[in-house]
Amino acid sequence: MILQEIQDITSLEDIKPLRGYKPLTTIKVSTLNIPSTPELLLLSANLNYQAKRILDNEVKCKSGLCADSYIYQSIAVMRITEDYANKYISYKELREIKKQFGINTL
């Protein structure tokens, strides 16, 4: 098939349908299954809120954790959002962080 030149086309009816062309590649591109930036920001905010509640003695720390660990994890999540094109976490890692720090119960 030969492509038409654009200069000769005066209306949409002049464009012939593109049939018979094959895709440029046969490799399927999968959609990345990673959390979006708002989800990561929400996780970071929840971690900071939980650290504040621990410091105010409203709740107790989970075993092996302290307020500092909540804050450090929040900072790590925020660093991911700053360079989202190169750094990311999967939904599995997101669920593990929520489970480890007890964020699901907020």
Side-chain angles (χ1 to χ4, degrees):
M1 293 185 113
I2 299 172
L3 294 176
Q4 287 179 294
E5 290 189 23
I6 296 176
Q7 292 136 351
D8 297 335
I9 298 174
T10 56
S11 66
L12 289 176
E13 289 78 25
D14 294 339
I15 299 175
K16 295 178 184 174
L18 296 174
R19 292 191 184 116
Y21 289 106
K22 294 184 180 180
L24 297 175
T25 180
T26 57
I27 300 170
K28 286 188 174 181
V29 178
S30 65
T31 305
L32 293 176
N33 192 15
I34 57 175
S36 62
T37 303
E39 288 176 294
L40 294 176
L41 292 174
L42 180 63
L43 174 63
S44 179
N46 282 335
L47 286 167
N48 281 327
Y49 177 67
Q50 192 72 359
K52 179 202 172 293
R53 290 179 66 198
I54 290 167
L55 292 173
D56 291 342
N57 291 326
E58 293 178 18
V59 295
K60 297 205 178 210
C61 292
K62 290 187 81 172
S63 62
L65 297 174
C66 61
D68 290 343
S69 57
Y70 284 86
I71 293 170
Y72 288 136
Q73 185 64 46
S74 172
I75 292 170
V77 171
M78 285 302 294
R79 285 191 178 142
I80 292 171
T81 60
E82 290 172 359
D83 190 18
Y84 197 65
N86 298 321
K87 298 178 187 176
Y88 57 89
I89 61 173
S90 65
Y91 274 110
K92 182 180 178 184
E93 292 169 318
L94 182 80
R95 284 190 300 270
E96 288 175 8
I97 292 171
K98 285 182 176 181
K99 184 178 178 183
Q100 178 185 6
F101 290 95
I103 301 299
N104 289 334
T105 58
L106 289 181

